[in-house]
Amino acid sequence: MGRMVFVAGTDTGVGKTVCAAGIIRALRARGASVCGAKPFSTGCGGGAGPEDAVRLEEAAESGEPMELLAPVRFDAPLSPLSAALLEGRETDLRRASDAIDELGSRRDFVVIEGAGGVMVPLAPCFYFLNFVAAWRPATVVVARPGLGTLNHVFLTARALATVSIPLAAVVMSDSAGAEEDPSWESNPSVVEECLGVPVFALPHLGGRPENAPRAERVFEGLVGALKACAGTST
């Protein structure tokens, strides 16, 4: 079974897909056989398809079928449980789990991208956290960089700890290209001091190619942190 990596977010729109794709490329650069998976995809209606999973596959070029990379899909741009209720369906947890296991049997690494935060419900009283706990994956938490993020990061870290999921690193992601606030400078050191894991600052990439080298260094650092967390070579 290949090693599992979980890219979790403190919220939606924080940059999980960018981070997951960057980790995939960094692992491939080390010669690893890797794929990215988005087991629960929403907002797939109107021909949109599982856009995040497609972006992960563009990074991985694994050739794995989209039925495994994005096994459970909903049309509505809602949380998986909300979309399932709206569409009169149940979330097929077994299908998603079997897809991850199948990918893991064929790859050195499977990079699993979450859906929103770790406590987003997939079914009544069953959360993404419960789903991914089956593999105890080394986890990267992606968060916004500014004021208010400390609470979100620490709540996410505590949730991961309740099911013995190891936290490898935290990424403060400027996904929106927002103006900095005073907390940007202090937040990384506070997180490192409290959680004892490395914290990386991922710059905004949209239309700013000058930030690409900095981002590549972040992804390389994340692979190193994942290696240290798992206690294995990559």
Side-chain angles (χ1 to χ4, degrees):
M1 174 65 71
R3 280 160 278 175
M4 302 293 173
V5 173
F6 178 33
V7 177
T10 56
D11 199 351
T12 190
V14 294
K16 294 188 302 296
T17 305
V18 170
C19 192
I23 291 171
I24 288 169
R25 291 189 177 96
L27 286 169
R28 288 186 64 197
R30 295 189 177 202
S33 169
V34 58
C35 67
K38 180 87 171 183
F40 304 96
S41 301
T42 62
C44 298
E51 294 180 355
D52 290 346
V54 169
R55 290 176 65 188
L56 297 183
E57 174 58 13
E58 288 172 351
E61 298 182 316
S62 70
E64 297 288 359
M66 200 53 62
E67 288 73 19
L68 292 178
L69 302 179
V72 179
R73 310 175 201 177
F74 298 97
D75 290 342
L78 302 169
S79 71
L81 177 57
S82 296
L85 293 173
L86 180 66
E87 297 172 22
R89 300 166 52 191
E90 292 186 359
T91 308
D92 196 337
L93 301 172
R94 176 53 64 90
R95 179 174 181 176
S97 179
D98 288 348
I100 297 297
D101 284 339
E102 179 65 21
L103 292 170
S105 72
R106 306 196 315 217
R107 298 285 160 179
D108 298 330
F109 291 90
V110 180
V111 178
I112 303 168
E113 182 185 339
V118 298
M119 294 303 293
V120 164
L122 304 176
C125 300
F126 189 88
Y127 306 94
F128 203 105
L129 181 74
N130 304 118
F131 172 79
V132 80
W135 298 279
R136 299 291 192 272
T139 296
V140 172
V141 169
V142 185
R144 292 186 176 88
L147 192 64
T149 200
L150 294 179
N151 180 63
H152 298 157
V153 170
F154 295 145
L155 285 174
T156 301
R158 177 167 292 187
L160 293 169
T162 64
V163 290
S164 302
I165 293 177
L167 176 61
V170 173
V171 177
M172 298 291 190
S173 169
D174 183 18
S175 59
E179 292 295 325
E180 295 188 18
D181 66 48
S183 70
W184 281 34
E185 185 174 347
S186 61
N187 281 342
S189 61
V190 171
V191 172
E192 286 188 342
E193 180 70 20
C194 292
L195 296 182
V197 299
V199 179
F200 300 87
L202 184 62
H204 183 62
L205 297 178
R208 298 172 66 178
E210 70 275 10
N211 283 339
R214 288 174 56 200
E216 292 303 318
R217 290 193 292 271
V218 168
F219 301 137
E220 281 295 321
L222 287 172
V223 169
L226 289 164
K227 174 183 175 181
C229 179
T232 57
S233 61
T234 58

